[in-house]
Amino acid sequence: MDSNVRQAGIAQAALGYAITALGACLVLLAGDFGVSPEALAWLPATFGFGLLTMAPAGPLLLRSSPRPALVGGSLAVAGGSTLLALAPVPGVAVAGALLLGAGGAAFALVTPALLAGAQAAVQLTKVNAASSTASVLAPAAIGGLNATGVVSGRLALLAVVPPLLFLAVTARPTATGSGPPPGARPAAGAVSRRWGVVVLAVSVEFCFTIWAVARLAAAGLTPGTAAALGTAFPIGMALGRLAGPALIRRIPVVPIGAAVTAAGAIVVVVAGGAAAITAGLVVAGAGVATLYPVALAGLVATPRLSAAHAASLGALASGTAILAAPAALARLADVVDLRLAFLITLPLLAALLLLRRQ
């Protein structure tokens, strides 16, 4: 395996595990600190805030080499995960979440810079498959450890520390290309369209990521059962991304993926039973799986756009989507039923296809 793919894969797997674990730990943190889970619901948003904060610094951070961002991100995610696992008071947990967000933002910046090139779409799909697979493991690890009654399930966050320390010590990214000639400027319209496609792809993904469990709970399931079945969406996404590298070479994955995602979303909206909703989440996850990697690869491949600037714009797009799309779905759910609010994904998918055709 190419060393850049391996290093990006370790980073993305650790990040996927840690971000998903943070969401799964909210109830445990709330219980330990004697507050309601809603009072800590903003903690997972630190990743989105980190992306928006770090994105403008992307060209500077990546100017000499991707290594400083890769090493710094590894240490920040490892440190943040450790603080969250061991936090005795809310202030320490907040510091851990902020470190996790900053480190995750560094990984989001460095990954497309590491994988820029002709095989970017395939390679990005591979490393995102590692992230999705690891994210499925996090809730099971936390729940299983907590069920022992011996130690807190939060300690499962420490699982990411050894591979991240290994990555920090061994990171030796190789050059991905010479970049555009000095003074070359990409077409603003092409950059804007491709940036918009990334925003829309991440928006659809995070609508399901954030609200899948709430949709299952609204169908009458207990919170524990809803959380367990809520892994259906990341499982579908992991399966789609594992198959993605082979599919990208054979079929038009974006229009087909958008159609499959839309079908899954409609099932999630119209279904009344937990089994059907869960099936809809698996289908939606499989459909959306390749949309973000292919969209990001398209942005990275924009003529005369440097890898560093593409990485910065990709991080900005992801941060914008992560903060805006789930909030928009929540606002819509205040007006209509939550199940109907998932219909917001359909115009997002339509807009993605429209922008990509231009």
Side-chain angles (χ1 to χ4, degrees):
M1 180 185 291
D2 179 88
S3 62
N4 282 9
V5 176
R6 182 178 66 255
Q7 292 169 95
I10 294 172
Q12 287 296 321
L15 179 60
Y17 182 98
I19 292 294
T20 306
L22 174 55
C25 279
L26 283 182
V27 175
L28 300 181
L29 286 165
D32 291 342
F33 301 150
V35 299
S36 68
E38 290 77 12
L40 300 175
W42 62 273
L43 284 180
T46 53
F47 181 38
F49 285 117
L51 286 169
L52 292 181
T53 302
M54 296 277 284
L60 179 62
L61 290 173
L62 302 172
R63 181 173 56 184
S64 58
S65 164
R67 187 172 185 272
L70 192 59
V71 173
S74 299
L75 296 176
V77 174
S81 298
T82 301
L83 291 179
L84 283 162
L86 304 176
V89 294
V92 176
V94 170
L98 292 173
L99 264 179
L100 181 57
F107 282 165
L109 279 170
V110 78
T111 297
L114 285 173
L115 305 180
Q119 295 298 311
V122 171
Q123 292 175 344
L124 284 166
T125 303
K126 287 181 178 179
V127 302
N128 277 277
S131 176
S132 297
T133 302
S135 71
V136 174
L137 300 177
I142 290 168
L145 194 59
N146 202 63
T148 66
V150 178
V151 294
S152 170
R154 286 197 280 145
L155 293 180
L157 272 161
L158 296 176
V160 301
V161 175
L164 286 171
L165 294 181
F166 170 80
L167 181 60
V169 171
T170 62
R172 297 290 186 275
T174 57
T176 56
S178 59
R185 290 183 177 275
V191 173
S192 298
R193 287 192 300 273
R194 296 181 184 198
W195 183 83
V197 172
V198 177
V199 172
L200 292 164
V202 177
S203 294
V204 173
E205 180 179 324
F206 270 77
C207 282
F208 287 101
T209 298
I210 301 300
W211 289 107
V213 173
R215 172 67 185 97
L216 287 161
L221 300 180
T222 65
T225 303
L229 293 179
T231 60
F233 179 72
I235 287 172
M237 205 158 53
L239 293 173
R241 284 176 173 165
L242 287 171
L247 294 177
I248 287 171
R249 300 184 180 99
R250 293 175 172 83
I251 64 172
V253 292
V254 172
I256 292 176
V260 172
T261 306
I266 291 171
V267 172
V268 170
V269 170
V270 303
I277 296 170
T278 303
L281 290 172
V282 172
V283 171
V288 83
T290 56
L291 297 187
Y292 168 69
V294 172
L296 184 58
L299 178 62
V300 171
T302 304
R304 298 183 297 280
L305 181 65
S306 71
H309 282 90
S312 180
L313 288 170
L316 180 64
S318 294
T320 300
I322 289 168
L323 291 178
L329 189 149
R331 180 63 60 88
L332 185 59
D334 289 338
V335 180
V336 299
D337 187 79
L338 176 62
R339 65 196 298 174
L340 294 177
F342 274 89
L343 290 173
I344 194 175
T345 57
L346 301 185
L348 293 175
L349 290 166
L352 184 154
L353 293 175
L354 182 61
L355 272 184
R356 199 167 183 273
R357 286 174 62 88
Q358 293 180 358

